[in-house]
């Protein structure tokens, strides 16, 4: 009997890592096998490092637990959250690939309105490989998509677009709500499939969710720090949003694009709203100070690399948010530690990354 024909090589097979934070066996990967099997996985195990995490056979992966994080980062390991999915950003740091896709272990393959399985990773890659339009809104949404274009009145000087740094995907079934909304609408499910990808305009912030997210690590990786959350911290469930606010300010400064919309995943499990409320309680108040801070944040012209931008932002966090709560002084210090650890692990300096920005932003 003849050998079955080889599987087609997926997009960016050798240029993308899939990062998964978890505390449990990764049986969910079976559903994703057709889409993930040929990629390399980085699994960041949270919680008890002595627990054995089982990964289905056939996947190429490396797994890091807290002992590994402590061994690799030494004293700088204190910038990586413990007992919180924010630990995933360690995977971004140790990756050697140009692109990252991160997904939660309660996210399953969704179906489009025709009933076909959605290859979320493929759509993210398409989003990242096509330009973004942060400087002028196109009313037909993504003009680079098949069947669409720039509408009448769109400046020709801006039609080349900007490099896409982030692709933010969405969720069917369980929406990403905060605890008060969960409590008010416990049975609400998202059944609306909107077939669109939008560039978030320059100057507009958004609440980034880390459960279905892809980004260009070379363009924006050092800013994808998910903060100090979880064990020993006064706040949780703001890790991805903190990263998103930092990332958006820096993308706006460096002329990079952030997209949101397709692809959808199926979010299978609602987290406990009472547990979430305890984690979010302070953040619900603090965000009324945090968001105006980011809305008014500006970066000087000599901040030409992501690292320089991030260090400058950390200074402003300490200066302007430190008065809100001492936690923000601690967070600002952790932001600096994160950049130091990133550069040590990746053997580059802010200047090298700066030249990569300048020379390779439109690759």
């Amino acid at each position: 009997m003849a050998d079955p024909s080889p599987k087609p090589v997926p997009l960016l097979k050798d240029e993308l890592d899939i990062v998964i934070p978890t505390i449990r066996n990764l049986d969910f990967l079976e559903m994703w096998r057709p889409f993930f099997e040929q990629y390399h996985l980085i699994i960041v195990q949270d919680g008890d490092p002595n627990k054995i995490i089982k990964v289905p056979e056939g996947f190429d992966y490396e797994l890091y637990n807290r002992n590994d994080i402590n061994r690799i980062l030494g004293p700088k390991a204190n910038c990586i959250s413990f007992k919180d999915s924010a630990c995933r950003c360690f995977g971004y740091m140790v990756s050697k690939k140009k692109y990252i896709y991160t997904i939660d272990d309660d996210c399953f393959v969704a179906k489009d309105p025709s009933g076909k399985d959605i290859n979320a990773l493929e759509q993210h890659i398409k989003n990242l490989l096509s330009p973004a339009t942060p400087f002028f809104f196109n009313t037909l949404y993504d003009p680079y998509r098949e069947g669409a274009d720039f509408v009448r009145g769109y400046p020709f000087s801006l039609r080349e677009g900007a490099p896409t740094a982030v692709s933010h995907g969405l969720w069917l079934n369980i929406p990403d709500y905060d605890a008060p909304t969960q409590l008010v609408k416990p049975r609400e499910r998202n059944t609306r499939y909107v077939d669109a990808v939008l560039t978030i305009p320059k100057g507009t912030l958004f609440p980034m969710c880390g459960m279905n997210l892809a980004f260009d690590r070379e363009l924006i990786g050092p800013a994808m720090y998910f903060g100090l959350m979880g064990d020993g911290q006064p706040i949780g469930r703001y890790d991805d949003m903190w990263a998103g606010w930092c990332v958006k300010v820096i993308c706006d400064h460096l002329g990079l694009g952030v997209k949101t919309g397709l692809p959808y995943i199926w979010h299978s499990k609602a987290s406990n709203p009472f547990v979430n409320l305890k984690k979010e309680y302070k953040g619900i108040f603090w965000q009324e100070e945090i968001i105006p801070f980011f809305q008014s944040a500006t970066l000087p012209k000599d901040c030409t690399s992501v690292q320089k931008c991030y260090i400058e932002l950390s200074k402003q966090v300490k200066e302007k948010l430190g008065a809100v709560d001492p936690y923000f002084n601690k967070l600002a210090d952790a932001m600096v530690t994160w950049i130091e650890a990133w550069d040590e692990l990746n053997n580059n300096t802010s200047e090298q990354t700066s030249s990569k920005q300048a020379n390779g932003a439109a690759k």
Side-chain angles (χ1 to χ4, degrees):
M1 184 177 171
D3 289 336
S5 57
K7 294 177 183 175
V9 177
L11 287 167
L12 303 180
K13 173 184 176 292
D14 299 318
E15 296 178 70
L16 182 144
D17 278 333
I18 299 172
V19 175
I20 305 167
T22 194
I23 56 169
R24 58 180 65 86
N25 294 335
L26 294 179
D27 302 328
F28 93 115
L29 283 173
E30 285 296 351
M31 179 179 277
W32 288 101
R33 187 179 290 277
F35 307 126
F36 289 0
E37 192 172 27
Q38 295 188 64
Y39 290 92
H40 179 251
L41 311 181
I42 296 177
I43 299 161
V44 184
Q45 177 181 343
D46 198 16
D48 182 3
N50 296 314
K51 182 179 177 180
I52 303 298
I53 298 287
K54 292 179 182 175
V55 181
E57 286 187 18
F59 286 94
D60 169 34
Y61 71 93
E62 51 193 301
L63 187 149
Y64 297 93
N65 61 31
R66 193 70 205 186
N67 293 339
D68 299 314
I69 294 171
N70 291 338
R71 174 177 51 82
I72 292 165
L73 295 185
K76 292 186 174 69
N78 61 11
C79 74
I80 304 297
S81 298
F82 183 55
K83 294 187 178 176
D84 193 281
S85 65
C87 67
R88 78 177 79 220
C89 62
F90 177 77
Y92 311 160
M93 186 187 278
V94 295
S95 170
K96 301 298 177 220
K97 305 287 177 66
K98 178 171 167 53
Y99 300 98
I100 296 286
Y101 174 52
T102 185
I103 185 171
D104 284 5
D105 60 15
D106 61 350
C107 293
F108 300 161
V109 177
K111 294 186 183 295
D112 67 18
S114 73
K116 182 183 175 188
D117 283 352
I118 297 169
N119 184 345
L121 181 51
E122 182 181 61
Q123 179 65 50
H124 274 298
I125 290 169
K126 288 177 179 176
N127 292 348
L128 289 171
L129 293 182
S130 64
T133 54
F135 308 118
F136 201 89
F137 189 79
N138 191 54
T139 51
L140 270 183
Y141 308 130
D142 184 356
Y144 306 103
R145 207 172 161 195
E146 192 176 338
D149 212 320
F150 293 97
V151 298
R152 181 170 55 89
Y154 200 100
F156 283 86
S157 59
L158 294 176
R159 294 190 182 196
E160 200 174 292
T164 301
V166 179
S167 172
H168 177 256
L170 298 175
W171 346 269
L172 292 171
N173 195 38
I174 307 292
D176 187 29
Y177 285 163
D178 53 37
T181 309
Q182 279 185 296
L183 287 164
V184 173
K185 298 180 169 181
R187 293 183 179 84
E188 184 152 295
R189 300 293 180 264
N190 183 35
T191 57
R192 294 193 310 147
Y193 179 96
V194 180
D195 187 9
V197 179
L198 286 72
T199 296
I200 300 171
K202 181 179 180 180
T204 300
L205 295 175
F206 75 113
M208 190 173 82
C209 172
M211 72 171 105
N212 175 27
L213 178 74
F215 60 93
D216 185 322
R217 188 176 172 277
E218 288 184 4
L219 284 184
I220 201 64
M224 274 288 178
Y225 175 48
F226 276 41
L228 286 177
M229 304 282 153
D231 196 48
Q233 309 302 336
I235 187 174
R237 283 173 56 82
Y238 274 81
D239 52 333
D240 42 9
M241 292 186 291
W242 179 263
W245 295 325
C246 293
V247 160
K248 189 58 168 61
V249 168
I250 293 172
C251 282
D252 286 353
H253 176 75
L254 295 176
L256 303 172
V258 176
K259 294 179 180 176
T260 187
L262 300 180
Y264 284 90
I265 50 84
W266 180 268
H267 186 206
S268 67
K269 191 176 67 182
S271 47
N272 186 313
F274 296 100
V275 173
N276 290 347
L277 188 59
K278 287 178 76 172
K279 293 178 180 178
E280 294 172 7
Y281 178 74
K282 288 182 182 291
I284 290 168
F285 291 98
W286 289 348
Q287 71 185 18
E288 302 306 319
E289 307 265 1
I290 295 169
I291 291 168
F293 161 75
F294 281 109
Q295 285 173 325
S296 62
T298 56
L299 299 169
K301 284 184 178 178
D302 63 353
C303 287
T304 52
S305 72
V306 175
Q307 280 96 326
K308 284 180 179 176
C309 290
Y310 203 72
I311 294 296
E312 171 60 28
L313 210 47
S314 76
K315 293 175 186 172
Q316 294 184 25
V317 167
K318 183 169 279 193
E319 180 188 329
K320 296 184 178 173
L321 292 179
V324 174
D325 192 272
Y327 165 75
F328 290 100
N329 292 323
K330 190 177 176 185
L331 177 55
D333 291 339
M335 292 167 73
V336 175
T337 303
W338 160 265
I339 291 294
E340 291 170 352
W342 181 285
D343 282 345
E344 281 178 21
L345 224 55
N346 291 280
N347 294 320
N348 64 10
T349 64
S350 297
E351 283 68 31
Q352 286 174 313
T353 308
S354 173
S355 65
K356 193 180 289 184
Q357 284 279 345
N359 300 328
K363 281 194 287 188

